[in-house]
């Protein structure tokens, strides 16, 4: 995916009060700022300068154009001078794409010896952006506000984050998620309202029987399988039993066949994510482990046990992650280390952890899996590197979606885990395991999450603002008593704000 094919429109507001000369100056400055943004390596999309807006009609037309433009994923709005904000009402009412209010100023510093009233009239975003801020708040518009000079690295970083989230948001609209075999029996948290998700988050989820997948698996040709096995050999450390002539070579061939079938199914249907269900594997010889790990690495969203919310969230976070260092994966809180001297969470899944978070070249093996009642499946085994990470979980509370994000520090396991045949991550949740787990459980966060070492909580927060959904952060400042109050406040707020 090349985010540079996506556009963010740079729109400057002003008015005719200051004369044509001032407007020409505003136009020149805005062009320079927009061009400069395109030169910043961290800015992932193409910034397109648009003419300075001075009337309600031109703003309304521009917003309608933005709505209809396929490549436009959002707008940057900046009031270089004062722009009486009633002229923005009609346009903002129409706009259905995300926008950021960039509260910047052309000159960073006040020219103390030179400043006069002409300068004051031209460089007054401190004043004009407050008028624009008011109308957005008056209209209850969700938007991001970024404050800082347009060359300030912190402001640019915030802008880059917002753009990546806008790209993910754009990608979600109309995205198709395939759910093989529906939900896994009685599990609660993986359920949810798919109509609500389509209305609020933009993607559609539909169930497919395994028969659809099997057709593609059966169609895989021997020579494609051989080529894929060669790719495995070049990419991973194969154990003796899966090497050519090894006892489990045939199981690896079967896994390659499943991968080819899965890729073919996903491509043909234009899917961006999918879920599996280990209680419904009719026609498959083994639970797709390696195949899922490998397609996740290529950007597909995935959720186990029918978890479509996590599949779609993973896809969105994979889009945000495009081109950044560090990976993003489906994850599950699995086992605790409750030593008071250093409590930890061991994250893993039965098999399906994305190799984008591997610290080293993964081991490829076939081993027993005592769940699912199928033949032994192939899987990649590795450990994630130490460093900062987040876990994000999206749940359906019945009347709304809630996102819970936990900031964690990944640590190296204190010892080898020679008998654990799955990919794993060991982390120290902030502020500590007791507070983090109590808060997560009170919030109703799932056992499944999206784990990322490339993204920060800020990305997920921006995503929630775009979607208009609840966002809860568990970080080093979290206190359970205050967190409970936040939960109760959310219940009231969303009940009142959503109405019927
Ligand atoms: Mn699971």
């Amino acid at each position: 995916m090349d985010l540079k094919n996506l556009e963010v429109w740079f729109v400057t507001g002003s008015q005719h009060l200051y004369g044509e000369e001032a407007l020409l100056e505003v136009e020149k400055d805005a062009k320079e700022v927009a061009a400069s943004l395109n030169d910043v390596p961290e800015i992932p999309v193409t910034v397109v300068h648009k003419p300075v807006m001075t009337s309600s009609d031109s703003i309304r037309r521009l917003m309608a154009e933005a709505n209809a433009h396929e490549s436009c994923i959002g707008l940057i709005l900046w009031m270089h001078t004062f722009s009486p904000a009633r002229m923005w009402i009609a346009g903002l009412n129409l706009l259905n794409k995300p926008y950021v209010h960039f509260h910047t100023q052309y000159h960073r510093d006040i020219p103390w010896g030179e400043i006069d009233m002409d300068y004051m009239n031209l460089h007054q975003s401190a004043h004009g952006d407050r008028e624009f801020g008011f109308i957005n708040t008056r209209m209850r518009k969700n938007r991001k506000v970024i404050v800082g000079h347009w060359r300030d690295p912190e402001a640019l970083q915030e802008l880059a984050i917002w753009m990546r989230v806008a790209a993910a948001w754009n990608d979600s609209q109309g995205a198709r998620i395939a759910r093989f075999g529906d939900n896994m029996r009685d599990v609660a948290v993986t359920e949810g309202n798919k109509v609500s998700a389509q209305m609020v988050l933009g993607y559609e989820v539909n169930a497919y029987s395994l028969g659809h997948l099997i057709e593609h698996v059966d169609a895989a040709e021997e020579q494609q399988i051989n080529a894929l096995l060669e790719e495995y050999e070049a990419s991973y450390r194969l154990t003796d039993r899966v090497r050519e002539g090894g006892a489990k070579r045939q199981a690896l061939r079967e896994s390659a066949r499943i991968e080819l079938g899965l890729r073919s199914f996903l491509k043909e249907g234009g899917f961006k994510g999918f879920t599996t269900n280990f209680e419904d594997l009719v026609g498959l010889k083994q639970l797709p482990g390696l195949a899922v790990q490998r397609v996740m690495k290529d950007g597909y969203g995935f959720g186990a046990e029918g978890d479509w919310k996590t599949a779609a969230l993973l896809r969105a976070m994979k889009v945000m992650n495009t081109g950044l260092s560090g990976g993003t994966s489906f994850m599950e809180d699995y086992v605790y280390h409750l030593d008071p001297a250093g409590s930890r969470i061991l994250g893993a899944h039965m098999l399906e952890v994305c190799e984008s978070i591997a610290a080293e070249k993964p081991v490829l093996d076939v081993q027993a899996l005592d769940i699912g009642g199928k033949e032994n499946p192939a899987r990649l085994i590795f450990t994630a590197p130490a460093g900062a990470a987040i876990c994000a979980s999206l749940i359906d509370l019945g009347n709304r979606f809630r996102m819970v994000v936990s900031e964690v520090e990944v640590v190296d396991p204190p010892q080898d885990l020679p008998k654990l045949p799955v990919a794993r991550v060991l982390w120290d949740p902030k502020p500590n395991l007791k507070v983090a787990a109590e808060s997560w459980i009170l919030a109703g966060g799932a056992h499944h999450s999206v784990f990322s070492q490339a993204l920060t909580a800020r990305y997920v927060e921006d995503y929630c603002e775009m979607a208009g959904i609840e966002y809860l952060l568990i970080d080093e400042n979290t206190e359970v008593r205050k967190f409970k109050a936040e939960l109760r406040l959310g219940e009231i707020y969303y009940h009142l704000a959503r109405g019927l």
Side-chain angles (χ1 to χ4, degrees), residues 205-311:
V205 182
N206 291 298
Y208 292 83
S209 88
L210 265 289
H212 291 103
L213 178 60
I214 303 306
E215 281 174 26
H216 290 264
V217 172
D218 288 346
E221 291 166 14
E222 292 306 306
Q223 107 195 46
Q224 289 176 292
I225 294 172
N226 291 337
L228 194 51
L229 286 168
E230 275 176 34
E231 193 180 322
Y232 294 168
E233 271 150 22
S235 312
Y236 312 118
R237 292 180 283 157
L238 277 66
T239 59
D240 286 343
R241 59 181 157 245
V242 298
R243 284 206 189 98
E244 184 79 68
K248 294 291 178 189
R249 184 68 172 187
Q250 192 50 41
L252 188 62
R253 282 194 76 83
E254 191 53 38
S255 176
R257 183 190 299 283
I258 293 172
E259 176 179 337
L260 289 163
L262 181 61
R263 285 184 187 278
S264 166
F265 173 89
L266 293 170
K267 197 174 171 196
E268 186 186 272
F271 297 105
K272 291 178 173 172
F274 66 104
T275 71
T276 55
N277 174 347
F278 66 76
E279 283 187 334
D280 187 352
L281 294 171
V282 178
L284 284 178
K285 290 191 179 152
Q286 49 179 270
L287 176 69
L290 175 64
V292 171
Q293 292 180 292
R294 283 176 47 84
V295 300
M296 254 195 279
K297 187 186 146 221
D298 291 345
Y300 285 101
F302 170 75
E305 292 111 38
D307 189 351
W308 52 270
K309 292 189 296 299
T310 305

Side-chain angles (χ1 to χ4, degrees), residues 146-165:
I146 297 174
V147 181
H149 188 252
W150 47 280
R151 291 193 193 278
D152 167 21
E154 276 177 23
L156 291 170
Q157 174 60 15
E158 282 299 313
L159 199 53
I161 289 172
W162 176 85
M163 286 167 167
R164 287 177 174 279
V165 177

Side-chain angles (χ1 to χ4, degrees), residues 304-305 330 332 349 447-448:
E305 292 111 38
F330 176 70
E332 181 168 272
H349 203 260
H447 52 284
H448 287 166

Side-chain angles (χ1 to χ4, degrees), residues 59 172 255:
I59 293 168
S172 294
S255 176

